[in-house]
Amino acid sequence: MSVEVYYDDDADLGLIQGRKVAVIGYGSQGHAHALSLRDSGVDVVIGLPVGSKSRPKAEEQGLRVLTPAEAAAEADVIMILAPDTAQRGLYAEAIAPNLAPGKALFFGHGFNIRYGLIKPPADVDVAMVAPKGPGHLVRRQYVDGKGVPCLVAVEQDASGNAFGLALAYAKAIGGTRAGAIKTTFTEETETDLFGEQAVLCGGAAALVQTGFEVLTEAGYAPEVAYFECLHELKLIVDLMYEGGIARMRYSISDTAEYGDLSRGPRVIDSRVKEEMRKILGEIQSGEFAREWVAEDEAGRPNFAKWRAEGAAHPIEATGQKLRGMMSWVDRPITETA
Ligand SMILES: NC(=O)C1=CN([C@@H]2O[C@H](COP(=O)(O)OP(=O)(O)OC[C@H]3O[C@@H](n4cnc5c(N)ncnc54)[C@H](OP(=O)(O)O)[C@@H]3O)[C@@H](O)[C@H]2O)C=CC1
Ligand SMILES: CC[C@](O)(C(C)=O)C(=O)O
Ligand SMILES: [Mg+2]
Ligand SMILES: [Mg+2]
């Protein structure tokens, strides 16, 4: 099965320039979408609750900020970029009452549609533009004349041109510079959750922490362990990003490559693969979504505990000290937000 990929020439920016867009939320993705839409000539308004700590940031950037209900009432296209767990309540309270035939409801991730937490009326377009990267990099790439690839999907095509509108939106945030891939809400949601849990965030963080623990518990210096297990990971992943795993293997020594080929499969073995399959099953069945919604409704007790434990891991103190000596790494992500 081959995917359809769309680039700048396939998208008509005029479709989104002719509509008013409400970006609801001004966090990692929200600020990136809003600023890039504006820089692409789109009429943008931000929706944030009164008292939101994001309000001053958006206002400092010269954006007009209203409540989510006011912004949704004014807009033709409503992009929801509030946290996934806040979206159901936000939709019921502020957005649903302000939908009308011909309007479009957009998402940056399919969670609430895929798991039936939001059920829009049949007479609005429902589409997704999901950048495959953190929001701060989405904005940084746009400013640098580049883009982060996006997934684009249509759940409901009331207007008959929901896909064209979503492609135009993707172009306005730089997505079609890198390539917009056509997908479905189900595929985006399930692969995104799997990727962040098993590989990109959960898997990578646990791999780094465990490697650091093994070295330091064996008596090696934490600073050396940090460089070996965390700092150098970026350099290795950069090579994979540029030319695949084969490119990385071309660049490392034969000794490293032999160790990689002979030992890697012992670390990520059949038990790990089986666990990954279980994690995917929990995502597909909705078990993970139910667990996460219940955790949020209970005030996030486990989330807070695990986050605190992660922050207290010895690799963090070691890294903070070392990064303080690396001026070239020191570009806080908050600079662009
Ligand atoms: N982070 C990322 O890079 C990616 C995120 N996504 C998706 O994008 C969406 C947004 O995620 P992300 O950017 O991480 O979110 P953040 O947590 O970074 O930001 C959330 C924003 O929404 C605001 N907010 C919170 N509650 C409400 C509410 N009830 N009504 C309106 N605004 C609210 C917050 O304001 P305050 O400052 O007051 O809390 C903040 O401005 C999610 O669907 C996520 O899955 C998709 C791809 C990557
Ligand atoms: C990898 C995490 C992510 O899916 C993302 C930046 O794409 C997220 O939800 O933040
Ligand atoms: Mg993602
Ligand atoms: Mg995600």
Side-chain angles (χ1 to χ4, degrees), residues 61 224 259 271:
Q61 297 289 342
V224 175
R271 197 207 59 81

Side-chain angles (χ1 to χ4, degrees), residues 193-225:
L193 292 175
F194 178 79
E196 65 200 21
Q197 291 175 23
V199 182
L200 304 173
C201 309
L207 189 68
V208 167
Q209 287 175 335
T210 306
F212 179 88
E213 286 165 17
V214 167
L215 283 178
T216 52
E217 284 164 15
Y220 297 98
E223 291 79 1
V224 175

Side-chain angles (χ1 to χ4, degrees), residues 32-225:
H33 290 223
L35 294 174
S36 300
L37 283 162
R38 182 184 66 183
D39 293 351
S40 295
V42 179
D43 186 3
V44 184
V45 62
I46 308 301
L48 285 168
V50 174
S52 159
K53 59 184 186 307
S54 298
R55 275 189 165 238
K57 287 187 199 164
E59 282 163 352
E60 275 160 28
Q61 297 289 342
L63 291 160
R64 201 158 68 90
V65 184
L66 303 175
T67 65
E70 288 165 346
E74 272 194 13
D76 309 301
V77 177
I78 302 157
M79 169 54 104
I80 305 187
L81 293 171
D84 295 309
T85 46
Q87 290 183 14
R88 183 169 44 159
L90 165 71
Y91 174 80
E93 204 178 291
I95 296 176
N98 291 300
L99 287 175
K103 289 199 178 195
L105 187 61
F106 275 31
F107 293 84
H109 176 43
F111 190 91
N112 280 271
I113 294 290
R114 162 65 182 84
Y115 295 113
L117 301 165
I118 291 177
K119 296 184 196 297
D123 53 12
V124 300
D125 285 346
V126 179
M128 174 171 52
V129 180
K132 289 288 92 186
H136 298 92
L137 297 186
V138 172
R139 177 59 182 162
R140 196 183 289 173
Q141 292 282 85
Y142 177 91
V143 170
D144 290 348
K146 301 178 204 159
V148 166
C150 286
L151 296 185
V152 177
V154 171
E155 180 76 6
Q156 214 167 261
D157 189 6
S159 69
N161 198 19
F163 188 70
L165 187 64
L167 263 193
Y169 185 107
K171 183 171 184 172
I173 64 167
T176 48
R177 291 175 182 166
I181 299 173
K182 188 175 187 179
T183 184
T184 62
F185 271 63
T186 295
E187 184 173 67
E188 185 278 337
T189 304
E190 295 178 3
T191 54
D192 187 77
L193 292 175
F194 178 79
E196 65 200 21
Q197 291 175 23
V199 182
L200 304 173
C201 309
L207 189 68
V208 167
Q209 287 175 335
T210 306
F212 179 88
E213 286 165 17
V214 167
L215 283 178
T216 52
E217 284 164 15
Y220 297 98
E223 291 79 1
V224 175

Side-chain angles (χ1 to χ4, degrees), residues 235-237 239-240 243-252 260:
L235 311 180
I236 294 294
V237 170
L239 293 174
M240 292 193 202
I245 292 170
R247 169 71 184 84
M248 180 276 284
R249 286 182 173 154
Y250 168 78
S251 205
I252 61 177
D260 155 0

